[in-house]
């Protein structure tokens, strides 16, 4: 019974060392290029679908995916991605062929409130949400 108790302790002691070793390369991250688009006139949920579509892709595949997407907002996301690619190439001297979309996230921005007149002198509220989009590119490690 004593041997059974000591064996799991040895495994649990080795497990945190493995996690710490795996975190070390992430802490020393390579350069990353980003592009931010603020106050896009679309709901964050709808924009999140398109942003999630390109997450993790190589940039050439992501550009193709956005070019043939039927969503209206895909063209704005494509322009933002092209801006991030230009930032990577010009500001950080990254290899464009090795770039991939490391992270994309969408945040809420302001909400315009409008009034829609209804019957009997009543009114209904119309909410027109805006969103923020951030795209981060990194080079694929060979």
């Amino acid at each position: 019974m004593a041997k059974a108790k000591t064996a799991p302790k040895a495994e649990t002691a080795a497990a945190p060392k493995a996690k710490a070793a795996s975190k070390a390369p992430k802490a020393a991250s390579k350069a990353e290029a980003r592009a931010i688009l603020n106050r896009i006139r679309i709901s964050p949920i709808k924009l999140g679908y398109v942003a999630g579509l390109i997450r993790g892709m190589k940039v050439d595949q992501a550009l193709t995916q956005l070019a043939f997407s039927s969503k209206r907002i895909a063209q704005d996301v494509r322009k933002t991605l092209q801006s991030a690619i230009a930032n990577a190439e010009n500001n950080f001297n990254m290899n464009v062929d090795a770039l991939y979309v490391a992270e994309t996230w969408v945040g809420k921005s302001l909400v315009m409130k409008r009034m829609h007149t209804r019957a009997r002198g009543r009114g209904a509220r119309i909410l027109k949400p805006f969103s923020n989009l951030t795209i981060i590119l990194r080079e694929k490690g060979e």
Side-chain angles (χ1 to χ4, degrees), residues 22-62:
S22 66
K23 287 184 182 179
K26 290 182 183 178
S29 65
K30 297 179 181 177
E32 57 186 29
R34 69 176 55 203
I36 300 171
L37 183 60
N38 290 323
R39 289 182 291 282
I40 311 167
R41 178 56 193 92
I42 193 167
S43 107
I45 294 172
K46 292 178 184 178
L47 182 59
Y49 291 139
V50 178
L53 190 68
I54 63 168
R55 192 175 294 127
M57 285 186 173
K58 292 183 69 171
V59 290
D60 56 346
Q61 293 173 348

Side-chain angles (χ1 to χ4, degrees), residues 8 11 22 27 36 46 53 81 89 91 104 107 125:
E11 291 174 10
S22 66
I36 300 171
K46 292 178 184 178
L53 190 68
L81 179 59
E89 185 177 12
N91 299 342
T104 60
R125 178 180 270 189

